[in-house]
Amino acid sequence: MGERLGYAPGVFDVFHVGHLNILRRAREHCDRLVAGVCSDDLVVCLKGRPPVVPLSERLEIVRSVRYVDEVFVATVDDKVEIWKEVGFDVIFKGDDWLGTEVWQALETEFAKVGVEVVYFPYTVQTSSTLLRRALGVQARQNLSGASGQLAGPLHKEGGQVEDMSYEHYAIHAEKEVFTPQE
């Protein structure tokens, strides 16, 4: 049997522990891992706003992660078209996409060509959206002459600051969902 090539697509903007968790877990399920990083234009198309961190810097950050063997610049959102170019055997995504119409259709298409879809637990305690909001607060405070301190932690639960470490994540988010091939 040949080498199992994995593909982990993402924007990877404002890189955080959730990104690292996906890449770490993806690498455990393949021999080589390609991280697909969305181009700046594709991010604008998908999200309606440019990324905080430009493509060249996002590529350098993701390329430097030890679990990643190669980076690929995604200029289209069509994962089947990307598969034709990259030739991966398995694709990884956060389980926040599990059961969505888009990914159910992709599962069907990928099953036809023998590509496995694997979902990993979404890291709920942090996200690029939360970090962007926090940075927005920081920027507004800096502009108004405030101390530069954030208004509060990014995520609170029961009045305690949520631990964002990998160990916390591993204890609270153990499920992985594998979509079987047909």
Side-chain angles (χ1 to χ4, degrees), residues 54-131:
L55 177 63
S56 61
E57 293 178 23
R58 290 182 289 123
L59 286 171
E60 190 61 31
I61 291 165
V62 174
R63 181 181 290 118
S64 297
V65 174
R66 71 177 176 201
Y67 309 109
V68 175
D69 296 296
E70 186 179 333
V71 293
F72 173 83
V73 176
T75 57
V76 297
D77 190 34
D78 186 332
K79 305 295 187 280
V80 174
E81 285 302 313
I82 293 170
W83 169 77
K84 289 176 183 174
E85 193 168 339
V86 176
F88 50 84
D89 303 298
V90 57
I91 187 169
F92 305 100
K93 199 66 178 164
D95 68 359
D96 52 322
W97 289 94
L98 179 64
T100 64
E101 196 173 308
V102 169
W103 278 85
Q104 284 179 333
L106 279 171
E107 288 171 20
T108 300
E109 288 303 306
F110 280 139
K112 292 175 186 175
V113 294
V115 172
E116 183 179 11
V117 178
V118 177
Y119 296 94
F120 294 125
Y122 180 75
T123 305
V124 297
Q125 63 267 34
T126 191
S127 71
S128 294
T129 301
L130 284 172
L131 292 171

Side-chain angles (χ1 to χ4, degrees), residues 5 16 18-19 21 30 33 42 44 47-48 68 73 77 86 89 103 108 115 117 123 141 147 152 155-156 161 168-169:
L5 183 62
H16 55 76
H19 296 132
N21 288 338
C30 60
L33 179 63
L42 182 56
V44 170
K47 298 188 178 267
V68 175
V73 176
D77 190 34
V86 176
D89 303 298
W103 278 85
T108 300
V115 172
V117 178
T123 305
Q141 286 177 345
S147 69
H155 182 75
K156 282 187 143 187
V161 175
H168 176 81
Y169 168 78

